[in-house]
Amino acid sequence: MGLKAIKKGMVILYNDEPAVILSAEFVRMQQRKPTLKTQLKNLITGKIIPKTFLPAEVDSIEEANIEKKKFDFIYKTREEVCFSSPVGGAGEKICLSIKDLGEQINYLKKGISVVIVLFEGKPVSLELPVKISFKVIEAIDAVKGNTVSGSGIKIVKLETGFEVSAPMFIKNGDNILINTETGEYDSKA
């Protein structure tokens, strides 16, 4: 595999663990060998690792054998979150530790479909839809004059208990779209 064969989004084995390439930049300096500057994200630990590959190292890079499967969220306990495969009646069930999910736990609600990334048959990460609709369960009413300061933003509580900043016109019972990558209000659903 040459330097130019390594692309953004590829999943490789780095220190015997799967890592996705977040960025890859081909660099050629005068009188030096070309290098490939990358940003890797370890799929098991979630750490971002800057790595520069030399041409000699590139030949030893292996693509990770990962599998992506679609699952539906079914329930959560104090320690874990469980998903089931939507295929047929005797679907596969996978449970992940709440501490491994981090902020992603805030976006899980009954019936949502996610993609679980499996490495050697074990779940290593979770991919959420980019935008998810949530019902607002708690929002203070907008009062005339609240926007004098120019902000026009208030904190609302969603059906999962997660709190997010939203415009003043959002009321209790409204459905809003949240961007799961940024954790911010996107639009009214």
Side-chain angles (χ1 to χ4, degrees):
M1 183 182 301
L3 282 177
K4 293 191 178 187
I6 297 173
K7 304 263 187 248
K8 178 181 174 180
M10 236 174 119
V11 180
I12 62 169
L13 281 177
Y14 181 71
N15 293 339
D16 296 324
E17 293 183 334
V20 66
I21 297 174
L22 299 177
S23 67
E25 181 184 357
F26 183 72
V27 180
R28 176 174 249 143
M29 305 274 274
Q30 290 179 351
Q31 298 181 356
R32 291 191 187 160
K33 292 184 178 180
T35 60
L36 185 70
K37 283 188 172 186
T38 63
Q39 288 270 341
L40 306 174
K41 180 180 180 184
N42 186 310
L43 290 178
I44 296 173
T45 64
K47 288 184 180 175
I48 306 291
I49 307 153
K51 172 69 177 154
T52 301
F53 291 101
L54 299 171
E57 294 176 300
V58 172
D59 294 332
S60 64
I61 293 175
E62 292 179 53
E63 277 197 68
N65 187 16
I66 62 162
E67 184 181 357
K68 292 184 177 188
K69 286 188 175 179
K70 190 173 182 178
F71 284 86
D72 294 330
F73 170 69
I74 46 177
Y75 67 89
K76 85 175 179 184
T77 64
R78 289 184 181 173
E79 293 91 29
E80 61 185 9
V81 179
C82 295
F83 303 88
S84 71
S85 175
V87 181
E92 183 180 356
K93 182 178 166 186
I94 289 184
C95 293
L96 301 172
S97 169
I98 285 181
K99 65 180 180 190
D100 292 341
L101 291 177
E103 289 291 314
Q104 291 180 317
I105 192 72
N106 297 320
Y107 308 111
L108 296 175
K109 64 179 191 171
K110 195 147 179 91
I112 192 165
S113 292
V114 299
V115 174
I116 295 181
V117 179
L118 303 165
F119 175 66
E120 295 178 352
K122 295 178 188 152
V124 291
S125 69
L126 178 79
E127 294 177 1
L128 292 165
V130 176
K131 294 179 185 176
I132 302 175
S133 175
F134 291 97
K135 186 174 185 174
V136 175
I137 59 165
E138 194 177 300
I140 55 172
D141 290 333
V143 178
K144 190 172 184 175
N146 276 4
T147 59
V148 170
S149 64
S151 69
I153 293 176
K154 63 182 177 181
I155 303 294
V156 298
K157 192 174 199 175
L158 306 177
E159 60 190 294
T160 61
F162 185 54
E163 293 184 345
V164 67
S165 297
M168 287 298 228
F169 61 82
I170 301 297
K171 300 184 284 282
N172 281 351
D174 284 354
N175 284 321
I176 61 173
L177 288 175
I178 301 296
N179 184 323
T180 59
E181 293 172 347
T182 62
E184 297 174 351
Y185 167 86
D186 186 71
S187 62
K188 205 168 177 178

